Amino acid sequence: ARRLGRGYVPVRHVRLWEMRLSVYVKASQRANVTKVHVASAATGGPGGMLGNKGGLVVRLRLGATSLAFVSCHLAAHSHMLSRRNHNCSELLRETASALGPRHLTAAAQFDHVFWLGDLNYRTDLNAAAAAAGEEAPFPTDEEHHGQVLRLVEQGDWGALLGADQLAASRAAGEAFVGFEEGPIAFAPTFKVERSSELVYQQKRIPSYCDRVLWKSAAGLRGAVSQTSLAALPRVSTSDHKPVVATFSLTPSEALRGTMQEVRSGGSRGSRGSSRKSSLFGNVSSSFAAGSASFTGSRAYASLDVVRPTVRIRGLSASELVDMDYTGGCDPYCVVSANPYELLYCAAHEHVLKKGEAAASTVKHGQDCTWPDDEVPLLRLRGVRTAALPHTTLLLAVLDKDNVILGKDDPVGVVQVALIFPPRHPLPPQPNLTPSRGRRTHACGRPPARRASALPSSPPRRRPFATGKKGAATQGIVSPPPQVPLRPVGWSQDSDLPPSFEVEFDEPLVQGMASTDLKSGRPLGRLRGTLSIATTAEAIEEALAEARADGAGEKARTVKLGASAFERRWRCC
């Protein structure tokens, strides 16, 4: 904290042997940080019992935005590529239960995930040539090392990154599927002498071991942009050169207000406990973003709160990988959401039993289909229409384990954003220019609240995280947009159609891979159509249709914590 300055305060420190992950936040935003959880997993040594390799995770919520920071130190040496990919999946699997549901890893259940550290992926010119169908051009390590040094001296970063093992693993779906990485325009950071100059050791191939990647939920892609990525060659405390990245991040939309705010059609912030139950949850007026204006202890916001319904039709899984020892898979589907509390049910998730199949076990190449009348109508909690496109439905496929005391194995997860493409242009803005006389809206009625423009403020910084080998990430949050206040009941996305459909046909992703790391086969695909109703009339029609079809009327297994019981799930 002393290096960052007095403006930063620590959120959480977590340590595993010599690995450390520290998350800091601006002191002015510390009150907005909630739901902080940490987890760690060791993957080194025999049986993955030693903490010299492994990873650390810190998850938190800053306002309405859920974030996760992961720092790791993966298996070393060039020939351990497969082991590194396994380390990533193992790390996510072992930390899942400490961060949320066991079938959802840190890579799937948060708005944004930042992954940093000594990933240990190496430069391999021979493997790149083999992938192109050519013979290995450098039979000895000395020749390989010499060619890489010549590329470094020439500044040919493209040729080096073309032989990067991490890039090859991402292209093959073996690691970091769905993650993004900024352009690298500096020399490899490993393995160097401990000096202020960039001098590589002869016994290791110069490689880009220290990396910073990020992943956003399906409905929030584009909310994160990397503003800089650089190495610090003059730092001489390790055989790695540290890497620093900065990001610009747009905060997520708050879902809804309290029931009192919904009934009154507005939000009145006041001192004491009412601040905690404001429209923006545990967010003080200095951070809240969106179409809102704050003056003193009073908060005004546009509330267009509905309880949308989501109907899943034509849900089917195909080409599922073999999960049982005897071959085949016994699939069922678990439906949840991001934010996790979005689904209107006690467990915040629905469990769909195995659908129609040719046999009790689905063999590789067979499809598994869930009939429409067996898939319950999903009710969402009250949500502002402006926030609906920022939410994500998570459909996880699991394999039923018939072994006594065995646990069901996750097959993969698909994220589907509840967004209607293409986005409609905004309707004309109401006239809310302040004046001394009686003001009116464009419709001719006087405003219900006194309006004021959003105050201008300098950019604010998101949590600052440092990880293994000095890799670091830091985000800058832009101030709320300077837009005039809109009348209560009018929303930026109020022009969404009463109902719309979202089709999806996506590969299943388990952890960070879309392929089975043992067999090399794809995990499978999940397809279907979401029918979403957003207005009162469309929602009533969807409820009536679901009652007529019997959707949701059959017994369902709803998981509550570690237990499961049968209950009748009614769509209304």
Side-chain angles (χ1 to χ4, degrees), residues 326-549:
T326 57
C329 180
D330 303 297
Y332 67 93
C333 187
V334 179
V335 183
S336 54
N338 177 29
Y340 193 58
E341 65 274 10
L342 181 63
L343 282 186
Y344 191 76
C345 61
H348 302 306
E349 63 184 27
H350 290 272
V351 180
L352 312 181
K353 292 182 178 179
K354 184 173 62 180
E356 297 175 343
S360 58
T361 298
V362 179
K363 297 296 183 181
H364 183 74
Q366 292 180 332
D367 292 351
C368 178
T369 303
W370 287 266
D372 292 347
D373 60 351
E374 291 189 1
V375 179
L377 182 73
L378 306 179
R379 294 299 306 270
L380 307 185
R381 294 184 181 272
V383 57
R384 296 183 301 123
T385 53
L388 185 61
H390 297 185
T391 60
T392 306
L393 204 64
L394 305 175
L395 296 97
V397 176
L398 289 85
D399 172 58
K400 178 65 177 178
D401 195 340
N402 297 317
V403 179
I404 299 177
L405 301 180
K407 294 183 178 180
D408 297 347
D409 300 317
V411 179
V413 181
V414 165
Q415 297 184 352
V416 184
L418 304 183
I419 186 171
F420 173 70
R423 301 290 296 276
H424 294 306
L426 291 179
Q429 300 278 343
N431 182 15
L432 291 179
T433 305
S435 64
R436 297 195 178 192
R438 182 178 176 83
R439 295 178 289 112
T440 60
H441 293 308
C443 58
R445 295 193 303 270
R449 302 276 194 272
R450 181 178 179 179
S452 62
L454 286 172
S456 60
S457 59
R460 291 181 286 273
R461 292 184 178 270
R462 285 278 185 172
F464 181 99
T466 60
K468 175 71 180 178
K469 300 294 185 183
T473 178
Q474 178 176 350
I476 301 176
V477 178
S478 303
Q482 303 297 313
V483 296
L485 182 66
R486 300 183 176 95
V488 170
W490 191 93
S491 171
Q492 179 179 355
D493 288 324
S494 61
D495 61 331
L496 285 174
S499 62
F500 60 94
E501 293 186 346
V502 177
E503 296 183 358
F504 62 92
D505 184 359
E506 301 290 338
L508 292 168
V509 177
Q510 175 53 30
M512 306 173 69
S514 60
T515 60
D516 181 35
L517 298 181
K518 295 181 180 179
S519 64
R521 290 180 175 179
L523 296 175
R525 301 187 69 88
L526 194 67
R527 62 176 60 90
T529 302
L530 304 182
S531 299
I532 304 168
T534 60
T535 63
E537 295 79 6
I539 291 172
E540 193 61 34
E541 292 179 5
L543 290 173
E545 182 182 1
R547 295 189 192 101
D549 295 345

Side-chain angles (χ1 to χ4, degrees), residues 165-178:
Q165 290 181 339
L166 176 57
S169 294
R170 292 176 62 191
E174 297 174 347
F176 292 95
V177 173

